[in-house]
Each structure stands twice: as structure tokens, then as C-alpha cells.
Amino acid sequence: MTAPLDPTHPSVPGGSRNIQAIRGMHDLLPERVGTWQRLEDTARQVLERYGYAEIRTPLVELTELFKRSIGEVTDIVEKEMYSFADRNGDSLSLRPEGTASCVRAVIENGLLNQSQRLWYRGPMFRHERPQRGRYRQFHQIGVEVFGLAGPDIDLEVILLTARLWRALGLDGLRLEINSLGDAAERAAYREELVCYLDRYRDRLDADSQRRLTTNPLRVLDSKSPETQAIVAAAPSLMDRLETQTRDHFAAICAGLDAAAVPYCVNPRLVRGLDYYNRTVFEWITDDLGAQGTVCAGGRYDGLVAQLGGRDTAAVGFAMGIERLVELMELTGEGAAPQLDAYFVAVGEWAQRQAPVLAERLRDAAPGVRLMTHCGGGSFKSQFKRADKSGARYALVIGDSELERGVIGVKALREEAEQQELPLAATAAFLSASQQST
Ligand code: HAM
């Protein structure tokens, strides 16, 4: 077939078709950025208060890393990775999560001779079916702690998340926890579970039938009502735990009780990634529809050794920024970026002076967010812009104000007389009004 001659046809290189963002990958527009920043800033402050240090790792890793850590027969590795061949033939993948990269980084950089409390944030990539709360590029803030084996650190990371929700004003989140036991306990349980489920094989949903041989614990987490009914009567891993694992879990529960953080033990809580042992937990909301888990994690004591490092206990979690931002917006905890003042200058002289005066105001009132009008125009049109900018005040100068050495200060969001103040007083006024909000 010959190529179409129409230059607007999508298949013609350089055709005028609008290029759109990739499905499931979204622009973050200014109107939402304020809420993202509020979440990110608050999370950073909370994490710093607990002594966690930030780590930044590459967005791309060898595919092998994710296969060996997340697990060959997980949804992520089987069907959701963005993998491609590098120019030298290496198979690379966009990171679908942050834990594997962190583990690689701490091994590679020799950070395991002492315990580490690390956090990270950034984009992750999974080729999932996009829907509300589920995207192909999404963002996480995560924590990984290395070298601490006791229940005290599991408790700490959970308490830290509870503190973050309080700081963000999110009070409708439910904490579910479970213990997946250690490798040997899980292996024994797996056999018992397969034996039980096998009796109902024909009634299990297709995915669960497949998982029965590949990853039977994931059957516990099936969404199919018929499978769920079968699973409800299945033996429970919690009942098969040895004393040490049981004590570990009990200590976390006792700590949560003592800290008055409500939780629910969910014996069906298994995670979609293979590396967990012992503690797993999720924070869930009912306000976001099907994708209600806003934060999830647990212990993964075997992973560092599995990836070639020294035997090191580890625990962590990651929260989904998009889901939390949506929840913040729904519950009125969103934050619009707010300007304090918009500088209007009418006439040639004033327009020449405005940038200089605005700089002096910024020097004198460092925390104040001041936007200067650019592009000239009548007083009316500039004032309209001031109003639209969302600023609380318009600062106005023209020939008359310049002659008298004052700036007109007009409140845009409340009834108040316009004032005329010298520059230093204007700066003080804006600083004080900012602190009063
Ligand atoms: P995960 O459960 O795969 O765990 O993801 C953690 C959180 O990231 C989820 O609870 C959800 O809020 C968010 N999330 C996951 N996938 C998507 C998506 N497609 N769209 C939007 N949000 C999403 C992990 O990633 C583990 N690395 C957590 C961890 C860290 N465990 C130990 N350390």
C-alpha cells in the first residue's frame, strides 16, 4: 500500500495530528500541583523527623533485577513491565516499584555494614489496565529499612504512616495487617493450601486455577466471589506460624494497641510481590472505589541475600501519590498554589519601575509570593488578570503613586478599603497577612 499523500494523515511523518500523552500516563497540571506538593512536603518532614535519609536511584534497571526480586510469576513481571533491549542487547526495564532498586543500590554501594533507614519518591511504570487510581506511570513515596530484624521497626514504619495521615488530615484510612510467616512456614502452608484448593479446582476462577500451581497464596486474594467463598474456609497461615514468628507479629499488634492505632488482622492479606515474609500491611480507603489501597508494604528479610548481598533483614512500604492526592481532594485537604500579591503597573514610567520595585519587595518580604504583570495593557485589563491570578492582593502603581512614593494595596478576596503604603510597609503588610492565614 502506498502512503497517503494527505499531510494531516497520522501515518505521514510530521503530519499535523495532535500527539497525545501515552494511555495511563498523565500530565500533572498546575491546579493539582499544590496538593502534590503538600503531600510530598509533609511526607518529607515526617520522614526526616524519624531520621530517614533520601535515596535516588535510576528509573531504568536491568530487567533481571525485577525478575529476581518481585518474582517471575507475579503479574508485574509476567505482564506489566515496560521492558526493552538496550543498544547493546541488554534487557532493561522501567522500574515498576522502588524496593528492588533500593536493595540493589545498598548492596552495590556497600551501605549494609550498618542499619539504614531510607526513603524515596518518584515515578514507577506498570503496564496495567488503566482505571481510576490505576495508571501506567504513577508515583510512589516509599521507605526501605535495612539491618533491623525486630518487630520494633515494623511498628515504627506503621506508626510513621499513621502520623503522616494525621498530618494530612486523612482520618478514614483502615490498617490491615497479616503475617506471611517465614520461608519454611510458608512452604509447609502452601502444600496444605494447595491440597485444600485442589479439591475445588473446577470451581476456582481461571486465574486462581493457574495460580494454584504457580503462586497458590495469591488465590487467597482473588476477587471472584465463588473463589472467595472457597477461600473463606481454607486453612489459615496465621494458625500455622511457629512461636518466633507469632511473637514477632504479636509484638507489633501490642505496639499498635499501645499507640492507639486501630488495625484489623486480615489473614487473607497476601501481597502481589513475592519478596515478603512475616509482616505485611496495607492502608485502605473505601472512598476511592476499587483501587482503595493507598499504602502497602511489609518485611522482606530474604531479598538482600537473594540479590547477592549479605543476609540482611529489611522492611518497607510504598504509598501511591495519585491515590492519596485524590483522597486529599475529596476530603477537602487539597491545596491550591496561592499567590499573595499581583503587581499592576499603569503607564510607561510605572511599567519601567515595576520590576525594580517588585524585586525590592521580594528582598524585603522573602516568604511572599508576588507575581508581576507582564505585557502592559490598561488598568482594567491588568486588574482582571490580578483577579484571575487568585492573588489575595493587587499592588497598584501609576504616575501618581510613584510621585508620592507609595503603592496602592487592594484586597481582592475580601471587602476592605484600598490602602496606600510605602514600599517597606507594603512588604511588612504582605508578610504579616501571610502569617495570619
Ligand atoms: P505495591 O503494593 O505494588 O507495593 O504498591 C504500593 C502502592 O503504590 C499501592 O498501594 C498503590 O497505592 C500504589 N500503586 C501501585 N500500582 C499503582 C498503579 N498502577 N497506579 C497507581 N498507584 C499504584 C510496592 O510497590 C512495594 N515496593 C512496596 C514496598 C516497599 N514493600 C516493601 N517496601
Side-chain angles (χ1 to χ4, degrees):
M1 221 171 76
T2 52
L5 293 175
D6 176 3
T8 65
H9 191 283
S11 67
V12 174
S16 61
R17 176 179 67 121
N18 286 345
I19 296 174
Q20 296 189 329
I22 294 165
R23 198 163 117 81
M25 305 199 181
H26 297 283
D27 301 307
L28 172 57
L29 299 180
E31 69 211 37
R32 277 203 137 167
V33 160
T35 310
W36 275 62
Q37 286 174 340
R38 185 171 165 229
L39 169 59
E40 290 174 331
D41 293 349
T42 312
R44 205 183 89 192
Q45 282 159 15
V46 169
L47 288 159
E48 283 174 354
R49 288 183 63 193
Y50 283 75
Y52 285 65
E54 186 179 356
I55 183 166
R56 301 185 186 196
T57 62
L59 300 194
V60 184
E61 300 271 0
L62 286 173
T63 303
E64 188 64 21
L65 173 67
F66 302 116
K67 283 193 179 166
R68 276 173 52 191
S69 50
I70 297 168
E72 296 261 10
V73 288
T74 54
D75 285 351
I76 297 180
V77 169
E78 274 184 343
K79 46 189 186 201
E80 293 171 0
M81 288 222 287
Y82 281 91
S83 301
F84 55 94
D86 198 0
R87 288 178 185 278
N88 63 3
D90 288 342
S91 175
L92 308 183
S93 294
L94 300 183
R95 64 179 184 193
E97 57 108 50
T99 310
S101 311
C102 262
V103 172
R104 181 206 45 72
V106 291
I107 298 173
E108 187 170 340
N109 294 289
L111 302 185
L112 291 174
N113 44 11
Q114 59 184 54
S115 67
Q116 298 285 346
R117 285 169 159 92
L118 304 174
W119 73 274
Y120 54 87
R121 70 169 154 206
M124 309 290 161
F125 303 85
R126 296 184 195 173
H127 196 274
E128 297 193 79
R129 193 170 48 79
Q131 63 180 86
R132 180 182 182 196
R134 193 202 267 162
Y135 310 104
R136 289 182 173 172
Q137 175 175 323
F138 62 97
H139 298 74
Q140 287 183 340
I141 296 174
V143 152
E144 313 295 350
V145 179
F146 297 98
L148 298 170
D152 47 358
I153 188 67
D154 305 33
L155 180 66
E156 176 179 292
V157 297
I158 299 176
L159 293 181
L160 181 161
T161 48
R163 179 174 296 280
L164 176 61
W165 313 144
R166 287 198 299 277
L168 293 170
L170 298 176
D171 48 18
L173 293 172
R174 190 169 76 243
L175 172 63
E176 293 193 356
I177 57 174
N178 189 20
S179 176
L180 297 181
D182 286 332
E185 292 159 339
R186 224 173 22 257
Y189 171 72
R190 188 179 293 131
E191 261 182 48
E192 196 183 344
L193 181 68
V194 170
C195 232
Y196 168 84
L197 292 173
D198 207 37
R199 304 212 301 267
Y200 306 95
R201 180 181 280 272
D202 297 344
R203 285 166 49 199
L204 297 176
D205 60 279
D207 251 357
S208 297
Q209 286 188 8
R210 198 173 48 84
R211 284 182 172 145
L212 203 50
T213 40
T214 56
N215 200 350
L217 258 68
R218 285 302 309 278
V219 177
L220 297 179
D221 164 49
S222 161
K223 301 283 173 285
S224 139
E226 208 183 346
T227 305
Q228 270 180 5
I230 295 166
V231 157
S236 160
L237 172 55
M238 194 61 97
D239 298 336
R240 306 294 184 276
L241 300 181
E242 306 285 340
T243 316
Q244 262 200 339
T245 321
R246 220 181 250 272
D247 289 350
H248 185 103
F249 190 66
I252 299 167
C253 295
L256 290 170
D257 290 334
V261 173
Y263 60 92
C264 144
V265 177
N266 175 2
R268 313 275 167 237
L269 179 68
V270 290
R271 306 264 305 118
L273 305 94
D274 274 358
Y275 45 62
Y276 294 105
N277 69 314
R278 295 201 173 189
T279 323
V280 288
F281 65 92
E282 293 192 353
W283 286 95
I284 303 164
T285 172
D286 294 324
D287 298 333
L288 293 179
Q291 305 304 318
T293 305
V294 295
C295 174
R299 188 161 271 289
Y300 51 97
D301 295 327
L303 186 58
V304 177
Q306 197 179 311
L307 290 178
R310 65 164 77 159
D311 200 10
T312 306
V315 60
F317 65 80
M319 57 188 106
I321 298 189
E322 283 81 357
R323 292 183 192 178
L324 282 165
V325 163
E326 191 182 344
L327 194 60
M328 288 165 73
E329 287 171 348
L330 280 176
T331 51
E333 295 296 335
Q338 179 95 60
L339 267 186
D340 296 300
Y342 190 95
F343 205 127
V344 167
V346 189
E348 248 177 63
W349 184 23
Q351 266 163 33
R352 268 200 318 276
Q353 290 303 307
V356 183
L357 295 177
E359 285 307 304
R360 282 172 53 197
L361 277 172
R362 291 187 185 105
D363 288 341
V368 167
R369 289 153 297 191
L370 168 63
M371 182 182 278
T372 323
H373 180 84
C374 286
S378 67
F379 174 75
K380 202 172 151 200
S381 70
Q382 292 194 41
F383 218 79
K384 258 196 186 156
R385 286 284 183 86
D387 197 36
K388 260 192 139 169
S389 74
R392 292 179 68 200
Y393 297 97
L395 306 182
V396 186
I397 56 165
D399 291 354
S400 147
E401 283 81 4
L402 286 176
E403 271 157 16
R404 287 177 293 123
V406 293
I407 295 174
V409 180
K410 168 106 181 84
L412 295 172
R413 311 289 149 206
E414 60 199 22
E415 286 300 322
E417 277 288 296
Q418 177 161 338
Q419 323 176 51
E420 289 191 333
L421 301 171
L423 187 131
T426 306
F429 173 80
L430 291 176
S431 297
S433 72
Q434 202 191 31
Q435 275 147 25
S436 71
T437 55

